[in-house]
Amino acid sequence: MAQLTFREAIARGIAQEMRRDESVLAIGEDIGAAGGVFKGTVGLFEEFGPVRVRDTPISEQAILGAAMGAAMTGLKPIAEIMFSDFFAVCWDIVVNEIAKSRYMTNGQMTFPLVIRSGNGGGLRFGAQHSQSVENWAMMVPGLKVVVPSNALDVIGLMAAAVRDPDPVIFLEAKALYASKMEVPDGDIVDTLGTAKVLRQGTDATVVALGAMVPKALKAAEELASMGIDCTVVDVRSLVPLDTKTILREISATGRLFTVEENPRLCGWGGELSSIASEEIFYDLDGPIVRITTPHIPLPAADALEDMAIPSVQRIVATVSQSMNA
Amino acid sequence: MTTTATVPVLDLEAKLELYRVQVALRQFEKRAYDLFLENFVKGTSHLSLGQEAIAAGFAAAMRSDDYTFATYRGHAHTLARGVPMTPVLAELMGRTNGLMAGKGGSMHLTSVEHGVMGSYAIIGAHLPIACGAAWSAQYRGTEQVAVCFFGDGSTNIGAFHEALNFAAIWKLPVVFVCENNLWMEYTRTTEITAVPNPAADRASAYGLESIIVDGNDVDAVYEVAAAAMTRARAGEGPSLIEALTYRHGGHSRADPGKYRPDEEVAEWLAKDPIPMYHARLLTEGATEAQLVEIELSVAAEVEKATEEAKAGPTPGADLLMKDVWADGGSAWRN
């Protein structure tokens, strides 16, 4: 066992897969000797050298085009897009090329690649370096979307993403990079498309993703002291979506609250609400409530950003008000 | 940088094959157009009529395991790599015996087994992807080369510049081929480009040699292609080649191309690569009978492909939900 930060877990997960498989390569801006702007690739350059851990120019289309071309010819690239906001300058490669090409070619091509990216707010970076884009990625047929919430899951889900034959968008919550936990030694391999029940309760089910997961857990503790016993589910994987686990946990309590960092419109919670309404409507004992960032660009000032992104206090207040209504 | 590669001289047999390929591309696309008028070919299509020498010349210089990256104007490049006519025509007609069972259509022809790694319909997008295939070949040490074809219009999009710089700094075995047909869709390229030669004049910005070739002369295309491929295989990095040519028709099937001056069209029709090559081969020892025999056998091939494509079944619902994922399915939840 070792204490590991979320950012150290990223490098460990990548290294684990690079040691196992020579066709796994890492590329991105400043990921080599510099170790990544968020220090998520520290040590990889030293261990695997400049051929397998390669710095690129600030050319996001070239980075992802290179990953795609390499994947279709037998390699398993892990490409970094430094901030997920930058997907906007290379979204064509992601959506039109990577996501569609297997289907368009009637299965002639396979794209075993991972695109990792720092996602979300909390660092006071302002609107162009803070947004949560999981909803962008989720709505594109042909992309798998993974959002870990802790260091252990980072390693296991990174391994699962690298080993998966399909393109995986791996979103790293920037607010969690410094978070720490005990992680066992040795290889860790998880499974895509599996949600985790982190806390079992009887009154309400709180479903959260990424940086919202620790907040949901903290809120659940406070709610418990107020007499509201919550289940907390970590979604972990938006595509494939583990609806079996999530719906089972909603049915068990009869109430669903989602906690989403993405701006409100078309957030993953909207889709989950729709599925719950269609499939377990008669198990519900009250309205489905979504707790999200409002439909605004994220402001820079700490006071404003803290108001925008769901907080422990907002989760507690929203759940308790709704449960006591 | 100088061109040091020596290019193998083509014998008459090889040149007759270059003629056959060009004639096949021409006759195939004329048939595709006829079938569009008869409503057998749906959607859109972009023909390479007049530009066949580029596809034929490059394909002849490529190894069977090299990679082709084409655009939405990709019928010629696909066929030139040896993909049979029937699946290509059937793809245009949306039949299950199509190259991608009808799921891709005219603009996305792909045949991985022939090295045709896709036809891309977002301008410029495939230049970075070709870099990726070249990077993969470089890493695996296979001496494969990626050849990426695009139009003059692609030179003004960001992906072109990202890819050129990327290929140059990583010394990737990729050959970028700009088919300059003088018109970006409906607008004259020189009117919307800062330099007269949209690719060649940009080469120096990426430390590359400025190369312009007569894209209607298949022998010249072959020579410049073979030299670039040799450099790429030797680890000398990418090349950027501008091939001057002209499309005989409009941009797409919906475009009669009336914006082009009559005298310009006439001038380029006189430089049609196929009659030019026909005449040259006669001076180099081929007989008229040999060339006519090639034309007739191609015509028979086109006829057969037409019948086979028309006989192909239309796709059923079983194909609709297939192959989003590598497991063959499309499930996004359990």
Side-chain angles (χ1 to χ4, degrees), chain A:
Chain A
M1 295 285 277
Q3 276 275 328
L4 213 60
T5 60
F6 191 95
R7 59 164 54 95
E8 288 165 340
I10 292 159
R12 180 164 148 192
I14 295 172
Q16 174 188 304
E17 294 308 295
M18 290 186 74
R19 279 179 211 126
R20 182 185 60 82
D21 184 347
E22 284 211 335
S23 65
V24 180
L25 308 177
I27 57 168
E29 297 157 16
D30 296 329
I31 68 155
V37 292
F38 297 117
K39 301 296 169 200
T41 54
V42 169
L44 298 179
F45 184 82
E46 289 73 14
E47 179 174 354
F48 300 103
V51 172
R52 293 184 68 192
V53 180
R54 208 157 177 183
D55 283 323
T56 67
I58 302 175
S59 302
E60 279 81 7
Q61 295 185 76
I63 293 168
L64 295 190
M68 178 181 175
M72 69 164 73
T73 54
L75 300 184
K76 295 177 185 126
I78 303 171
E80 178 181 305
I81 296 298
M82 193 184 287
F83 286 79
S84 63
D85 313 70
F86 306 167
F87 273 122
V89 299
C90 54
W91 204 226
D92 169 57
I93 302 283
V94 180
V95 174
N96 282 316
E97 319 303 338
I98 291 171
K100 293 175 182 172
S101 288
R102 179 173 178 82
Y103 186 84
M104 289 201 298
T105 63
N106 197 32
Q108 289 184 56
M109 288 178 169
T110 305
F111 299 97
L113 60 87
V114 177
I115 305 171
R116 17 179 314 266
S117 192
N119 188 50
L123 276 66
R124 301 22 175 143
F125 284 169
Q128 294 183 345
H129 289 71
S130 300
Q131 70 191 316
S132 283
V133 305
E134 55 269 23
N135 50 342
W136 296 8
M138 188 189 189
M139 66 174 69
V140 179
L143 299 179
K144 293 181 176 173
V145 186
V146 174
V147 191
S149 71
N150 60 70
L152 178 65
D153 285 2
V154 163
I155 301 171
L157 291 173
M158 177 65 76
V162 170
R163 296 176 194 203
D164 195 89
D166 294 310
V168 179
I169 307 291
F170 191 95
L171 296 174
E172 303 163 2
K174 295 198 292 288
L176 298 179
Y177 275 129
S179 64
K180 271 187 192 171
M181 75 184 292
E182 287 282 328
V183 175
D185 299 328
D187 279 9
I188 298 169
V189 185
D190 209 324
T191 309
L192 299 187
T194 53
K196 253 191 200 167
V197 182
L198 300 181
R199 186 183 198 284
Q200 202 83 53
T202 52
D203 299 326
T205 301
V206 179
V207 181
L209 182 81
M212 299 301 99
V213 172
K215 291 185 180 183
L217 282 169
K218 234 183 217 143
E221 279 171 36
E222 285 189 31
L223 286 160
S225 70
M226 297 162 69
I228 300 169
D229 188 13
C230 291
T231 291
V232 176
V233 180
D234 182 351
V235 180
R236 305 200 316 149
S237 171
L238 290 173
V239 183
L241 185 64
D242 183 4
T243 49
K244 262 187 195 158
T245 300
I246 299 170
L247 293 181
R248 184 191 71 216
E249 295 303 324
I250 301 167
S251 290
T253 64
R255 291 300 303 269
L256 167 60
F257 295 86
T258 67
V259 189
E260 308 164 49
E261 190 174 344
N262 46 233
R264 184 167 181 98
L265 299 191
C266 303
W268 57 265
E271 184 58 46
L272 186 58
S273 305
S274 153
I275 295 169
S277 309
E278 283 183 36
E279 300 180 24
I280 54 165
F281 183 76
Y282 297 104
D283 294 340
L284 296 174
D285 299 327
I288 296 170
V289 178
R290 293 178 59 207
I291 302 162
T292 76
T293 295
H295 207 64
I296 55 169
L298 272 189
D302 49 1
L304 291 172
E305 192 182 37
D306 287 344
M307 279 188 259
I309 298 172
S311 61
V312 174
Q313 292 73 13
R314 177 137 68 99
I315 299 167
V316 169
T318 308
V319 173
S320 60
Q321 273 168 28
S322 181
M323 294 298 290
N324 294 323

Side-chain angles (χ1 to χ4, degrees), chain B residues 34-106:
Chain B
D34 291 343
L35 289 167
F36 155 64
L37 295 176
E38 294 170 38
N39 205 29
F40 278 105
V41 171
K42 314 279 171 62
T44 189
S45 55
H46 304 76
L47 304 179
S48 297
L49 295 172
Q51 306 184 186
E52 296 91 344
I54 300 167
F58 267 92
M62 291 170 77
R63 225 165 68 175
S64 65
D65 62 346
D66 286 334
Y67 301 123
T68 291
F69 289 82
T71 67
Y72 55 90
R73 198 182 302 284
H75 305 164
H77 293 297
T78 302
L79 293 164
R81 291 302 306 279
V83 179
M85 287 183 183
T86 298
V88 178
L89 203 49
E91 184 65 32
L92 269 51
M93 291 166 59
R95 306 299 171 97
T96 52
N97 55 338
L99 203 52
M100 297 93 79
K103 292 174 80 172
S106 164

Side-chain angles (χ1 to χ4, degrees), chain B residues 163-317:
Chain B
L164 262 292
N165 182 61
F166 198 83
I169 56 168
W170 285 15
K171 284 196 122 184
L172 296 176
V174 56
V175 180
F176 297 105
V177 186
C178 174
E179 300 179 272
N180 181 4
N181 64 22
L182 312 188
W183 291 84
M184 182 227 65
E185 297 204 9
Y186 303 1
T187 304
R188 193 181 283 287
T189 301
T190 49
E191 289 175 10
I192 42 87
T193 307
V195 287
N197 286 100
D201 289 345
R202 266 84 173 251
S204 65
Y206 305 104
L208 301 176
E209 188 182 356
S210 173
I211 302 173
I212 297 175
V213 65
D214 177 354
N216 282 17
D217 179 342
V218 72
D219 288 338
V221 170
Y222 170 80
E223 279 177 30
V224 83
M229 308 285 294
T230 304
R231 284 196 298 273
R233 270 189 240 293
E236 292 173 32
S239 297
L240 173 60
I241 295 164
E242 180 171 329
L244 297 174
T245 187
Y246 204 73
R247 56 171 149 77
H248 287 177
H251 167 71
S252 69
R253 68 160 214 200
D255 168 28
K258 292 293 183 204
Y259 41 83
R260 307 182 303 181
D262 290 344
E263 52 278 19
E264 180 182 289
V265 176
E267 178 197 333
W268 279 93
L269 283 174
K271 292 192 275 190
D272 185 330
I274 295 175
M276 266 188 358
Y277 205 53
H278 186 120
R280 182 183 300 164
L281 288 180
L282 291 177
T283 68
E284 294 187 4
T287 65
E288 182 66 26
Q290 273 177 306
L291 301 179
V292 170
E293 163 62 27
I294 286 170
E295 290 156 16
L296 291 175
S297 82
V298 165
E301 193 186 349
V302 170
E303 209 54 54
K304 183 163 172 280
T306 306
E307 294 315 310
E308 287 173 353
K310 281 181 177 173
T314 50

